[in-house]
Amino acid sequence: MPLSPRTSKALPGVAAEYLDEQPDGPRIGIALSGGGIRSAAFNLGALQALQERGVLRDSAYLAAVSGGNYIASALMISAAHTSAELENGKPLWGRGSPEERRLRLNSDYLAPGHEGKLWMAASVVYGFIVNYLPFALTAVIAGRLTGWVLAALGVRLTDLRLNGLHLPESAVLTALLAVGAVCVLLALGAVCYRRMSDNPGDYGESAWERFGARVLLVAGAIVVVLLLPVLTRLYALASTKALAWLFQEPPETFQSTVGRIAAGLVWLVAALLAAAAALMLSRRLRARRLMLLLASLAAAGLLLVPLLSALELANRQPRPSTVDVIVLAAFVVVVLGMAVFVHNRRYSMHLFYRERLNSAFALQRERDERGCIVAAPISYREKLYFSDLKPATDLPKLVVCCAVNVTTDDVPVGRFAESFTFERGRSGGPLFGYHDTKRLEQRNGVAGTELTLPSMMAVSGAALSPLMGRFTYPPLRFLMALTNVRLGVWIKNPNHAAAKRVEEDCRSRLRRAARRMRDGWFEPGAWYVLREALGAAKSTHRYIYLTDGGHWENLGVVELLRRRCTHVLCFDASCDRDGEGLDIGRAIALARSELGVDIDLDPRPVLPDSAGLSASMAVAGVMSYPPPGNQQAQLVYAKAVLTEEASWDLHAFKHREPRFPNHSTSQQMFTDEQFEAYRTLGHEAGEKAVTLLNIPARRRAQAVAHGNGRV
């Protein structure tokens, strides 16, 4: 008997999870981990080492997550926009290349200089206001309408208060309590019937469970309604005290329009301060309980302040004036207008993030006025669609690793995410299938919704989002959604009927306008932000929510195994101060549970000791694919760690920067010294990994000739 309605759909075995057939010879895959600019610098050095040793040229796949994908995608873009004669002995993104030198000047790409920091701050404030506005206005509308409806029925808020242990005097309150009691009794009766009949019905189709859940939700809603009078009274008293303490105003000031606005702003600022504190504490495990408490209070405050303020005003002024009705109608028009015309990508931080990544990593070589070869940024106005990029030089096939967030039972319990990848020809994942990438790029969609390669870079690095796979916390999720801490992106569900519908051309202006309004209504807006807040992301919705690939698997190893690579070079630049090796542990577990691949690897030699030093930068392990074939493969795991043999400048930098090589991922602006330290560390890791790979160059070349190399 199921504990709750679950899916009854049939699931295939692990053999259906593989994308490619077993190769005849070596198939090399390179995995670049997430970690923001720290990972980008480290993995740049690793790729340079592989480039110098010829391994990059002979590899089949390059799977990259977050910061690792910054560099992997940058390499793809430069290769597609640079002619071979401009390499001039300096490979693209090689050591000392124009691209590397350009990136050194832009390692603070997210907010360069004072103007950049002010612009980022203005973007954050703008995003919060536009994101929060429909929720605040809806709360005000709900509060005023509730107060007016109660007044029309002759009911005051005080009539809904409980009279201690005595029977309520209000007939409305008596009715609400009766309905709540009946709902609870019905739910218990449903449970009793199930137990007595022992007839649960088909698995996943229990009508009694659904009925019981719904009547309990009604009972919960009644409890919330009964709390509103108490909360409204407390809000009025607290606002009066706050105005008297902060502004030295008499209590009656709260009854004025200015007083109410001032009180609301005071409580909103307090909620935002609590929100900021919760977000700062979110990365400190020891302060998790305090973080969850502050997040809950802040989220509740952001919703309750406009609701309680409007409800209290409607209770004091039960008869609306003409001005009140006009203002409320204007609020309704604004909310509906935003639902149709304001896509949430217009105010989430995704477009800002995409623009910054484009400026720093989308580079092409050209000659300047002196005839020198330089790396210049590609204009943001040029749409860099992944499916159109055809590298002029030999490169492995790029796999951009993201996570699709799903909170239903389509994914294993507690995971809340599934893999979703982008390649030049195919994109998708095990849950949604694989589709033509051009179809997912939304080239003819609403402005700002097109999915270019810089967009994919931003999605793959969308570490801060309300939905973060297994790392999601419900109170923090709600708070992040309300405050617009949202880097994730909603894209069209390729399996939804609306995505498959082919629209006919309309010559009528009226029909075209109607279609635009219809499409705008269905585009993700505040309703989808609410879904993020509530964790209501389903695989059957019109849009699906993509975030950082690290929310599923932060190394990219599993995606290379899905493509049956025989040799995997994994470069891990994740932050691991305590030397726990969590990311490689998760990758090993996912490889076993998703693909049936057993990985025999002991990472302890690369994990730092109490002094912060590791015995080695890389270790080798064995991977065993399941039958049929029982293919044996090799995994070389290299990590961003410091060893005794490391270059002395790295040890000297460690003395000045004790956090090296584990700067926080939240630190996205590096100095040139920090950038060079991580790049050098990555280069040394790449050299060590190639030594452990131990595939002769002739055998690698044969693999390429037989189709097991680049695609």
Side-chain angles (χ1 to χ4, degrees):
M1 184 171 62
L3 296 177
S4 61
R6 308 293 289 175
T7 182
S8 58
K9 66 181 180 182
L11 296 175
V14 295
E17 299 290 335
Y18 290 94
L19 287 177
D20 292 350
E21 297 294 331
Q22 180 175 327
D24 297 327
R27 178 181 289 164
I28 304 172
I30 303 168
L32 307 181
S33 82
I37 190 65
R38 178 192 67 243
S39 174
F42 176 82
N43 284 306
L44 172 60
L47 285 182
Q48 288 172 344
L50 300 184
Q51 195 176 53
E52 293 160 6
R53 300 287 290 272
V55 176
L56 180 64
R57 179 194 61 230
D58 297 334
S59 296
Y61 287 102
L62 177 60
V65 184
S66 188
N69 184 55
Y70 297 172
I71 290 299
S73 294
L75 181 61
M76 172 68 69
I77 292 171
S78 296
H81 284 76
T82 301
S83 57
E85 63 268 16
L86 292 180
E87 289 197 19
N88 194 30
K90 291 288 184 183
L92 295 172
W93 290 93
R95 274 204 288 181
S97 64
E99 295 81 18
E100 180 194 304
R101 299 186 68 185
R102 173 86 189 183
L103 184 57
R104 289 179 184 277
L105 299 177
N106 291 277
S107 58
D108 61 346
Y109 69 96
L110 207 57
H114 297 298
E115 292 182 357
K117 292 176 176 61
L118 290 174
W119 181 253
M120 182 177 179
S123 299
V124 170
V125 173
Y126 160 81
F128 166 73
I129 292 174
V130 180
N131 183 74
Y132 180 59
L133 187 60
F135 293 101
L137 293 182
T138 301
V140 171
I141 293 168
R144 296 303 298 271
L145 288 178
T146 301
W148 293 343
V149 169
L150 290 176
L153 296 174
V155 179
R156 297 170 300 173
L157 278 181
T158 53
D159 295 335
L160 299 179
R161 291 184 192 170
L162 293 174
N163 188 20
L165 298 178
H166 302 284
L167 292 175
E169 299 178 357
S170 169
V172 175
L173 181 56
T174 302
L176 287 174
L177 291 174
V179 172
V182 169
C183 288
V184 173
L185 290 174
L186 286 174
L188 295 176
V191 174
C192 179
Y193 174 79
R194 281 282 299 274
R195 295 294 183 268
M196 296 300 179
S197 66
D198 194 25
N199 182 25
D202 292 335
Y203 185 78
E205 298 179 0
S206 173
W208 284 107
E209 291 182 15
R210 289 195 293 271
F211 172 77
R214 287 169 183 172
V215 295
L216 286 177
L217 286 175
V218 173
I222 292 174
V223 172
V224 172
V225 170
L226 295 179
L227 287 175
L228 285 178
V230 178
L231 293 175
T232 303
R233 178 59 179 165
L234 290 175
Y235 175 78
L237 291 174
S239 298
T240 301
K241 297 290 185 182
L243 290 177
W245 181 63
L246 289 175
F247 304 108
Q248 304 299 314
E249 294 288 343
E252 56 271 15
T253 304
F254 177 65
Q255 305 307 322
S256 67
T257 302
V258 174
R260 290 181 181 279
I261 294 175
L265 291 176
V266 166
W267 294 121
L268 286 179
V269 170
L272 289 175
L273 291 176
L279 293 173
M280 287 189 291
L281 291 173
S282 62
R283 296 185 177 274
R284 298 185 180 181
L285 297 180
R286 295 180 181 178
R288 183 168 297 173
R289 291 182 180 177
L290 178 59
M291 177 269 291
L292 294 177
L293 175 62
L294 290 173
S296 301
L297 292 175
L302 289 172
L303 279 182
L304 289 178
V305 165
L307 175 65
L308 297 179
S309 179
L311 190 58
E312 202 277 338
L313 177 59
N315 184 58
R316 289 184 178 274
Q317 301 175 4
R319 294 183 178 180
S321 65
T322 304
V323 175
D324 291 334
V325 174
I326 292 175
V327 170
L328 202 69
F331 287 173
V332 173
V333 170
V334 171
V335 171
L336 293 178
M338 292 185 70
V340 174
F341 299 109
V342 184
H343 188 288
N344 65 27
R345 272 200 228 178
R346 299 285 185 92
Y347 52 83
S348 78
M349 293 302 291
H350 170 76
L351 291 182
F352 174 86
Y353 194 17
R354 182 177 81 176
E355 175 189 338
R356 295 303 191 187
L357 289 173
N358 194 99
S359 67
F361 294 95
L363 305 177
Q364 63 183 358
R365 288 191 184 181
E366 57 185 39
R367 294 187 183 275
D368 63 8
E369 62 276 3
R370 298 172 299 171
C372 298
I373 298 174
V374 297
I378 299 174
S379 173
Y380 184 70
R381 290 185 292 273
E382 182 175 346
K383 304 301 182 184
L384 299 173
Y385 291 112
F386 194 5
S387 60
D388 291 343
L389 297 182
K390 297 180 180 179
T393 56
D394 297 331
L395 288 176
K397 192 173 184 179
L398 175 61
V399 181
V400 179
C401 299
C402 304
V404 56
N405 289 262
V406 180
T407 54
T408 59
D409 60 345
D410 292 295
V411 297
V413 177
R415 189 181 292 176
F416 304 124
E418 183 58 86
S419 176
F420 198 99
T421 57
F422 293 98
E423 299 177 57
R424 194 163 68 87
R426 64 185 176 190
S427 297
L431 183 59
F432 294 91
Y434 291 86
H435 308 268
D436 184 4
T437 299
K438 184 174 291 187
R439 178 185 162 203
L440 299 181
E441 289 173 333
Q442 301 176 207
R443 301 190 179 200
N444 298 320
V446 177
T449 64
E450 61 275 353
L451 207 58
T452 61
L453 186 52
S455 285
M456 297 172 188
M457 292 165 66
V459 173
S460 180
L464 286 176
S465 295
L467 298 175
M468 299 184 290
R470 70 179 81 241
F471 305 106
T472 302
Y473 293 109
L476 197 61
R477 177 189 69 203
F478 204 97
L479 177 64
M480 294 173 76
L482 286 182
T483 54
N484 202 40
V485 184
R486 304 168 42 253
L487 292 175
V489 164
W490 292 94
I491 71 166
K492 288 184 177 180
N493 184 343
N495 294 333
H496 195 276
K500 301 175 182 178
R501 185 172 56 232
V502 178
E503 300 283 1
E504 297 180 358
D505 293 334
C506 294
R507 295 185 177 182
S508 168
R509 291 184 179 181
L510 185 60
R511 292 186 63 184
R512 286 200 301 269
R515 179 182 295 178
R516 282 196 298 270
M517 292 186 67
R518 181 203 65 188
D519 293 342
W521 177 262
F522 287 115
E523 287 286 341
W527 179 246
Y528 276 84
V529 176
L530 183 61
R531 284 180 171 172
E532 294 177 48
L534 298 176
K538 296 183 179 180
S539 62
T540 55
H541 283 159
R542 185 184 290 258
Y543 288 83
I544 54 178
Y545 192 62
L546 302 186
T547 58
D548 194 311
H551 296 159
W552 188 73
E553 196 263 293
N554 196 42
L555 302 181
V557 169
V558 177
E559 287 306 319
L560 293 179
L561 299 182
R562 198 186 303 279
R563 290 153 179 82
R564 286 192 176 274
C565 289
T566 62
H567 297 77
V568 173
L569 294 168
C570 173
F571 295 94
D572 182 4
S574 59
C575 184
D576 190 7
R577 293 191 181 94
D578 299 325
E580 296 172 332
L582 296 180
D583 283 338
I584 186 62
R586 289 194 185 99
I588 292 173
L590 278 172
R592 186 189 307 116
S593 63
E594 289 287 298
L595 303 173
V597 177
D598 291 317
I599 299 179
D600 184 9
L601 175 79
D602 182 6
R604 280 173 288 192
V606 303
L607 301 180
D609 57 21
S610 58
L613 296 177
S614 300
S616 177
M617 294 195 75
V619 292
V622 177
M623 304 182 296
S624 302
Y625 285 91
N630 297 314
Q631 175 189 5
Q632 295 290 304
Q634 182 188 28
L635 170 64
V636 177
Y637 174 64
K639 189 169 175 61
V641 292
L642 201 60
T643 63
E644 289 283 359
E645 295 78 19
S647 174
W648 177 248
D649 63 299
L650 297 181
H651 286 280
F653 183 71
K654 171 74 172 178
H655 285 293
R656 293 194 302 276
E657 288 270 4
R659 290 176 295 174
F660 177 76
N662 288 295
H663 285 86
S664 172
T665 306
S666 60
Q667 183 176 346
Q668 286 296 296
M669 290 177 280
F670 268 18
T671 64
D672 178 64
E673 192 175 22
Q674 290 170 322
F675 180 89
E676 175 59 18
Y678 280 100
R679 190 210 63 81
T680 301
L681 196 67
H683 191 274
E684 293 186 1
E687 291 283 352
K688 179 65 174 179
V690 172
T691 302
L692 293 176
L693 181 65
N694 195 26
I695 303 180
R698 180 180 298 177
R699 191 172 177 218
R700 296 202 308 264
Q702 291 174 350
V704 173
H706 286 84
N708 294 327
R710 56 188 176 274
V711 180

